Amino acid sequence: MTFDLRSKCKSLRLAYIPDIYGKIPFDNPEQYVNDLFEEELKLRERAKITRLIKKAGFLDRKSLETFEWHEQQMRLPGQMTKERLYSLDFIEQRENVVLVGTPGTGKTHLATGLGRKACELGFEVGFYRVSHLVEELENVLRLNRLSAFRKRIQKLDLVILDEMGYLPFGKEGSELLFQLISECYEQKSLIITSNLEFSQWNRIFTDSRLTAALVDRLIHHAHIISFHGESYRLSHALSKRR
Ligand SMILES: Nc1ncnc2c1ncn2[C@@H]1O[C@H](COP(=O)(O)OP(=O)(O)OP(=O)(O)O)[C@@H](O)[C@H]1O
Ligand SMILES: [Mg+2]
């Protein structure tokens, strides 16, 4: 490349210009520089979203675009609508969303879709299967790295805890998870998926006082959406057999 443009762009932290400057149509200098910088900004934004999605640790590529909204199989709290949920204003408000209901009804799909959209809007997201998170909390505690791990969680705007209550935890795990959720309280948003109603959460945590304190924090600023109806997995399997 003439004039060593690449190294100058590197010094100026312009990552894309060396590759795109020849592809931008030229009418006049002002338009050219404007369009060139606009393209640099667009590509930077796209790279940032890709980075946020990768960092979030989603388990699959499910999105809101592929989620079929069946209002008759969901119970939404007053004030909540599909549009409001999809606008993600609950993240700005540091409110929680709890998706609760029977297996295969789309809770994880919706949580993942909301998380992916949050990344597209520039939010930092972390997606965790609760049982893996508890395991990781126990590991980092043993390795004396708990505070570094907590700091990472504190940087997130949205924490998704998938499958709360599918596996019970021991005393240490319960306390670590409780601490983590307490630290998120009113500081950031949580999306939790579960197939247990709150009244049954005593089954997940060993200590009923801890469960009550945890549920109290979670539901204080929460939109609780319940799912009922047939499992998608089951109806898919049955339709394939037919
Ligand atoms: N409303 C929906 N629109 C599109 N796909 C759906 C919908 N609901 C469920 N599915 C699909 O059905 C499968 C099961 O959904 P999902 O994993 O979200 O269920 P779940 O409610 O989290 O179940 P579980 O409680 O067992 O974890 C997934 O492949 C998902 O993409
Ligand atoms: Mg699920």
Side-chain angles (χ1 to χ4, degrees):
M1 188 182 298
T2 47
F3 314 122
D4 201 13
L5 184 61
R6 201 168 282 279
S7 79
K8 286 181 189 123
C9 283
K10 200 169 170 205
S11 309
L12 289 164
R13 296 178 196 281
L14 298 166
Y16 303 97
I17 283 181
D19 297 320
I20 58 171
Y21 78 100
K23 297 174 193 151
I24 307 286
F26 182 95
D27 271 341
N28 58 66
E30 201 178 43
Q31 160 275 328
Y32 178 77
V33 173
N34 180 64
D35 290 357
L36 184 66
F37 284 167
E38 204 164 280
E39 193 60 18
E40 166 82 23
L41 288 171
K42 210 191 307 166
L43 292 170
R44 255 187 219 195
E45 186 61 23
R46 207 176 293 164
K48 181 183 167 198
I49 293 170
T50 306
R51 208 165 47 241
L52 287 172
I53 290 177
K54 195 162 171 228
K55 251 176 93 182
F58 299 115
L59 299 177
D60 53 42
R61 300 178 60 81
K62 301 267 159 79
S63 70
L64 291 181
E65 283 72 38
T66 55
F67 184 76
E68 296 161 26
W69 185 271
H70 295 301
E71 195 127 345
Q72 65 283 11
Q73 290 174 16
M74 298 160 80
R75 201 176 319 121
L76 299 170
Q79 313 283 321
M80 184 48 87
T81 57
K82 175 186 173 187
E83 289 67 34
R84 188 162 166 220
L85 185 67
Y86 282 19
S87 77
L88 304 185
D89 79 340
F90 68 91
I91 302 180
E92 304 277 6
Q93 309 294 329
R94 298 172 187 185
E95 293 167 346
N96 303 328
V97 171
V98 181
L99 307 175
V100 60
T102 44
T105 46
K107 303 179 297 295
T108 301
H109 187 144
L110 180 57
T112 305
L114 291 169
R116 190 174 287 275
K117 176 149 186 214
C119 293
E120 286 162 8
L121 296 183
F123 291 111
E124 298 246 0
V125 179
F127 181 101
Y128 301 95
R129 277 266 153 90
V130 175
S131 53
H132 294 173
L133 177 65
V134 170
E135 235 170 70
E136 185 149 10
L137 283 167
E138 288 172 338
N139 276 339
V140 292
L141 176 71
R142 255 181 285 292
L143 297 169
N144 261 332
R145 292 201 204 123
L146 186 58
S147 67
F149 185 80
R150 282 210 189 114
K151 269 191 202 133
R152 256 194 285 147
I153 300 268
Q154 286 312 317
K155 283 199 190 130
L156 302 174
D157 302 296
L158 171 67
V159 179
I160 303 176
L161 302 180
D162 189 37
E163 300 193 348
M164 177 75 94
Y166 291 52
L167 294 170
F169 325 115
K171 187 169 181 301
E172 185 184 65
S174 298
E175 286 171 5
L176 286 166
L177 187 63
F178 173 77
Q179 260 174 19
L180 189 128
I181 291 176
S182 283
E183 282 164 12
C184 294
Y185 176 61
E186 294 187 333
Q187 301 299 315
K188 60 189 77 269
S189 270
L190 291 170
I191 298 180
I192 296 189
T193 80
S194 180
N195 53 18
L196 289 182
E197 299 282 341
F198 286 122
S199 59
Q200 298 174 353
W201 279 32
N202 272 327
R203 287 206 229 151
I204 323 172
F205 300 96
T206 40
D207 181 334
S208 60
R209 268 199 356 227
L210 193 120
T211 313
L214 184 93
V215 170
D216 200 57
R217 277 163 180 72
L218 279 182
I219 62 177
H220 185 195
H221 307 288
H223 306 282
I224 300 164
I225 301 176
S226 43
F227 289 68
H228 39 94
E230 208 175 73
S231 161
Y232 251 74
R233 299 186 191 106
L234 183 67
S235 40
H236 189 71
L238 289 177
S239 70
K240 264 195 355 204
R241 259 179 48 187
R242 271 183 226 124

